[in-house]
C-alpha cells in the first residue's frame, strides 16, 4: 500500500559516538505525522543504530549493497549480511553511487534482484542531471533509468519497491526542484509504471522526492498529490530538522 515515507541518508557522516548522539536526539523528537521514518547510517553504524532503535518505530536501512550473495568482493557487503543484522531495506542507485562508483542501470538491476531475492525492500533512486533538464530531456532520462533497472521485474515485486526521484542538480546544492517540477515528474513516473504494469501498481508505489528538502520547503513539496515523502541528505543530520520534515505532512 502507498505510504508516506521520510528517509534520512546520512551518507559518509557520523562515527559511532555521533551516531549514538544523533539517535538519542531522534528518540526525543515527537512524531505528529503518519510517515514511515527511516535512517541510513554507514555500514559500520548499522548494528549500533539497529540496537539503539530496536524498540523504536524508526527503521534502520542501508545505503548500498553488492549484488552477489558472498565471495571474493573485497570491501563489499551483501543482502544476506544486511539481513543477518536485521536490516530489511536498502537504498540503491543513489546518484553519488552512480557518479563516483560507476553504478549503471545494468548493475543496479542485479542489485535490485539480489535485494528482492532476500525479501528486502528497495528504495530505488534515479534522476536527471542539470544538462538533461536544460535540453528538456529529463523525462527520457528518468524513463530509461526506471525501465533499464526495474522493468524486468514481475508486477508483484513492486510491493517491495519505493521510488526516489532525485534530480542530481538538486542534491546537496541547496537548489530544490519546485513543488510543481517534482509533481510533474512524479506524475510522469506513475504514468510510466501504469503503461507497463497498470494503474493498481502505479497508484500503490510510494514515490519520494530528494534534493535539498529542508524544514522550510518540505510542506509544500509533500502537499503535491504524487509526492509520497522524501529522501533527505543534509537535513537528516540534525534531529530537529529531520523531524520537522517528518512532521511536514
Ligand atoms: C540525497 O543525498 O539523497 C539528498 C537528497 O541530499 P540533500 O537533501 O542534502 O540534497
Amino acid at each position: 500500500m502507498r505510504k508516506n515515507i521520510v528517509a534520512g541518508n546520512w551518507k559518509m557522516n557520523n562515527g559511532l559516538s555521533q551516531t549514538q548522539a544523533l539517535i538519542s536526539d531522534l528518540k526525543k523528537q515527537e512524531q505528529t505525522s503518519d510517515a514511515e521514518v527511516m535512517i541510513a547510517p554507514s555500514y559500520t553504524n548499522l548494528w549500533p543504530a539497529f540496537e539503539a532503535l530496536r524498540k523504536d518505530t524508526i527503521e534502520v536501512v542501508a545505503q548500498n549493497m553488492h549484488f552477489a550473495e558472498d565471495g571474493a568482493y573485497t570491501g563489499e557487503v551483501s543482502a544476506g549480511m544486511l539481513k543477518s543484522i536485521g536490516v530489511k531495506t536498502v537504498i540503491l542507485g543513489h546518484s553519488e553511487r552512480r557518479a563516483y562508483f560507476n553504478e549503471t542501470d545494468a548493475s543496479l538491476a542485479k542489485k535490485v534482484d539480489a535485494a528482492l531475492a532476500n525479501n528486502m525492500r528497495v528504495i530505488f533512486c534515479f534522476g536527471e542531471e542539470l544538462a538533461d533538464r536544460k535540453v528538456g530531456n529529463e523525462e527520457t532520462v528518468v524513463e530509461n533509468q526506471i525501465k533499464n533497472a526495474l522493468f524486468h521485474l514481475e508486477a508483484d515485486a513492486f510491493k517491495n519497491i519505493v521510488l526516489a526521484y532525485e534530480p542530481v542538480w538538486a542534491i546537496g546544492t541547496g537548489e530544490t526542484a519546485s513543488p510543481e517540477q517534482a509533481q510533474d515528474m512524479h506524475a510522469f513516473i506513475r504514468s510510466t509504471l501504469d503503461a507497463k504494469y497498470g494503474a493498481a501498481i502505479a497508484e500503490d508505489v510510494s514515490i519520494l522526492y530528494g534534493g535539498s528538502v529542508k524544514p522550510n520547503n518540505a510542506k509544500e513539496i509533500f502537499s503535491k498529490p504524487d509526492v509520497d515523502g522524501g529522501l533527505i541528505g543534509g537535513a537528516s543530520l540534525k534531529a530537529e530538522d529531520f523531524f520537522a520534515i517528518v512532521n511536514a505532512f
Side-chain angles (χ1 to χ4, degrees):
M1 226 221 3
R2 190 159 151 193
K3 297 174 194 139
N4 291 329
I5 298 172
V6 178
N9 174 13
W10 291 7
K11 310 192 183 187
M12 199 173 73
N13 293 297
N14 294 331
L16 179 59
S17 58
Q18 291 116 314
T19 296
Q20 287 163 333
L22 181 47
I23 287 177
S24 150
D25 285 349
L26 288 169
K27 286 166 107 172
K28 290 181 199 139
Q29 306 302 310
E30 194 196 346
Q31 183 170 349
T32 55
S33 73
D34 67 347
E36 263 187 57
V37 183
M38 304 174 185
I39 56 163
S42 61
Y43 284 140
T44 56
N45 291 309
L46 284 172
W47 174 245
F50 188 79
E51 284 274 275
L53 290 166
R54 212 177 257 287
K55 295 198 184 80
D56 205 281
T57 52
I58 300 176
E59 184 184 347
V60 178
V61 313
Q63 296 177 18
N64 179 38
M65 53 165 250
H66 196 267
F67 50 74
E69 196 48 54
D70 48 37
Y73 297 99
T74 302
E76 293 291 334
V77 167
S78 70
M81 290 170 180
L82 295 173
K83 285 283 298 278
S84 75
I85 62 160
V87 173
K88 299 194 185 90
T89 302
V90 61
I91 298 171
L92 293 177
H94 192 279
S95 65
E96 288 150 17
R97 300 289 321 166
R98 294 176 189 258
Y100 307 141
F101 302 97
N102 304 318
E103 296 204 352
T104 61
D105 292 342
S107 66
L108 287 167
K110 292 206 255 178
K111 290 189 176 201
V112 169
D113 289 346
L116 296 178
N118 279 276
N119 296 316
M120 292 183 77
R121 181 161 59 157
V122 172
I123 301 176
F124 182 74
C125 307
F126 53 88
E128 82 283 0
E129 311 253 353
L130 187 56
D132 302 316
R133 188 163 275 269
K134 277 194 169 150
V135 295
N137 227 6
E138 64 273 16
E139 289 188 349
T140 309
V141 168
V142 161
E143 185 176 8
N144 285 335
Q145 288 171 322
I146 294 173
K147 280 186 175 168
N148 293 341
L150 300 180
F151 273 15
H152 62 288
L153 298 173
E154 300 288 338
D156 194 45
F158 278 81
K159 63 179 188 295
N160 284 320
I161 302 273
V162 172
L163 299 178
Y165 168 58
E166 298 207 300
V168 179
W169 48 271
I171 296 180
T173 58
E175 187 138 346
T176 327
S178 68
E180 292 69 33
Q181 283 173 321
Q183 168 56 28
D184 287 352
M185 184 58 89
H186 284 221
F188 171 74
I189 294 162
R190 236 179 263 291
S191 71
T192 303
L193 287 177
D194 185 345
K196 167 81 177 169
Y197 292 104
I201 300 286
E203 282 304 314
D204 237 32
V205 172
S206 295
I207 309 177
L208 315 185
Y209 168 78
S212 299
V213 177
K214 307 285 178 204
N216 64 1
N217 59 21
K219 202 177 181 70
E220 218 190 327
I221 296 171
F222 293 173
S223 71
K224 295 295 175 193
D226 286 301
V227 178
D228 307 310
L231 183 55
I232 318 298
S236 71
L237 298 173
K238 277 181 77 183
E240 296 78 16
D241 287 357
F242 186 55
F243 264 78
I245 294 170
V246 168
N247 290 333
F249 282 101

